[in-house]
Amino acid sequence: MVTIVIDGRKVKAKENSTILENTQELNIDIPTLCFHNDLSSFGACRLCMVEVNTNGKWQLATSCNTPVEDGMEIRTDSDRVQESRKLTAELLYYKYPTTEAVREVARKLGVQTPEEKGEGHDCILCGLCVRTCREIVGVSALTFQDRGRGRDIDEPKIEFDPNSCIGCGSCAYVCPTGYVQMESVGDKRIIWNKVFNMVACKVCGRFFAPEDQLKYISKETNVPFDKLTTCTNCR
Ligand code: SF4
Ligand code: FES
C-alpha cells in the first residue's frame, strides 16, 4: 500500500492503482467517456483530468491512467481542473453537437448545449468497443485504423474485420454514443453491416445467440456445440 493525499485527505491506496480507482472509492465524481472499470485504460477523452503535485509543481494528468505513487498529492476540483474539463467538453461538443453522450457530459460541466436538429451517433474514438472486443471477448475484430500518427478524431477510424467478428454485440452494448448499431430480427442479426444467423433455443425456440458466437465458445471451452443451444432462461 502507498499513502496519497486526495483533496487534502490522506488515504491508503493499492500500489499501481490509478488515481481514478481511488477517487471512485471516495465517491468523488470525475467525468469520463472512454473509461470502463472492466477494461484497460486508454486516456482518449481527456475529461478525467486532475491536478497532481510532482516535485512541488502542480500538473494536469488524466486520472484514469495515471498510477498513484507514495506521497502523491492530488486535487480533483481546483479551478484549473474545472477549466480543463470544461474546455475538453467544449471541444467535444463542438465536434459532436448532436451526440447525446457528449451533450450530457458537456451540460454537466457547464457548457451551453442548445437544442440541435437531428440525432447524432458519432464515433468519438473512445476505444471502448476495441478494448471490449479484445479484452473481454478475446476476438479483436475491431481495431483502430491508422493508430498513432495521423489519427484524427473528426472521422470514425474503427476498422472492422468481418472474418473475426462473431456477432456477440458487446461493442454495441458498450458504445456510449450509439454509433455501433445492432439489429436482431428473427433468425438474423446485423452488426457492422455483417449478417449473422441466430440460433434458436432448443427449449423455448427463441433466437438467442449468433451461430458464430456459439461456435467460438464451443471451440474455446471444448463444450460441444449442441450443449450450448439452450438460452440462459431455459438452462
Ligand atoms: S464506435 Fe462507439 S465505442 Fe467504439 S470508439 Fe466509437 S464511440 Fe467508442
Ligand atoms: S476517462 Fe480518462 S481520458 Fe477518458
Side-chain angles (χ1 to χ4, degrees):
M1 299 291 270
V2 295
T3 303
I4 58 173
V5 180
I6 302 180
D7 296 336
R9 196 168 150 190
K10 217 180 233 191
V11 289
K12 292 273 177 214
K14 283 193 198 125
E15 271 179 58
N16 299 321
S17 60
T18 62
I19 295 174
L20 187 62
E21 280 174 74
N22 288 284
T23 54
Q24 283 180 335
E25 292 269 317
L26 298 177
N27 290 324
I28 295 171
D29 189 24
I30 293 185
T32 63
L33 259 184
C34 69
F35 175 77
H36 192 293
N37 272 316
D38 297 328
L39 301 171
S40 62
S41 295
F42 188 52
C45 73
R46 321 289 299 170
L47 280 166
C48 64
M49 285 295 182
V50 293
E51 267 190 299
V52 175
N53 195 336
T54 316
N55 301 326
K57 208 172 155 203
W58 286 98
Q59 290 182 323
L60 288 168
T62 43
S63 61
C64 68
N65 61 356
T66 302
V68 294
E69 286 170 20
D70 195 40
M72 186 183 249
E73 283 181 84
I74 298 145
R75 289 177 183 156
T76 69
D77 202 24
S78 64
D79 288 350
R80 195 170 165 214
V81 164
Q82 296 298 351
E83 275 163 31
S84 162
R85 290 181 194 160
K86 188 171 176 190
L87 181 65
T88 303
E90 276 168 351
L91 291 172
L92 277 167
Y93 174 62
Y94 176 74
K95 283 173 188 290
Y96 311 108
T98 60
T99 296
E100 190 46 41
V102 171
R103 293 173 63 82
E104 196 184 310
V105 88
R107 273 196 300 269
K108 253 178 102 174
L109 293 170
V111 179
Q112 297 293 317
T113 58
E115 277 311 311
E116 290 274 344
K117 286 209 164 69
E119 218 181 295
H121 293 294
D122 293 295
C123 174
I124 57 170
L125 289 190
C126 67
L128 285 170
C129 57
V130 173
R131 282 173 285 154
T132 298
C133 191
R134 183 180 62 225
E135 296 171 18
I136 307 274
V137 187
V139 164
S140 293
L142 299 170
T143 46
F144 279 111
Q145 247 176 21
D146 205 12
R147 185 92 206 275
R149 224 167 77 84
R151 197 165 150 230
D152 178 355
I153 62 167
D154 278 340
E155 296 295 330
K157 294 267 178 71
I158 301 293
E159 195 161 54
F160 172 67
D161 175 9
N163 298 319
S164 305
C165 182
I166 57 172
C168 68
S170 302
C171 52
Y173 296 120
V174 81
C175 177
T177 68
Y179 178 77
V180 185
Q181 297 279 309
M182 177 172 81
E183 199 183 1
S184 301
V185 181
D187 66 345
K188 296 282 182 279
R189 168 176 290 176
I190 303 172
I191 186 162
W192 295 98
N193 292 325
K194 182 175 172 186
V195 181
F196 291 88
N197 291 323
M198 299 292 279
V199 172
C201 169
K202 63 184 172 195
V203 178
C204 67
R206 182 173 67 89
F207 290 105
F208 74 102
E211 190 180 355
D212 287 0
Q213 182 182 0
L214 296 184
K215 280 183 180 162
Y216 173 76
I217 295 171
S218 171
K219 192 170 131 238
E220 292 294 305
T221 60
N222 286 325
V223 174
F225 181 82
D226 67 335
K227 292 259 184 281
L228 296 170
T229 53
T230 309
C231 75
T232 45
N233 294 343
C234 297
R235 265 174 227 162

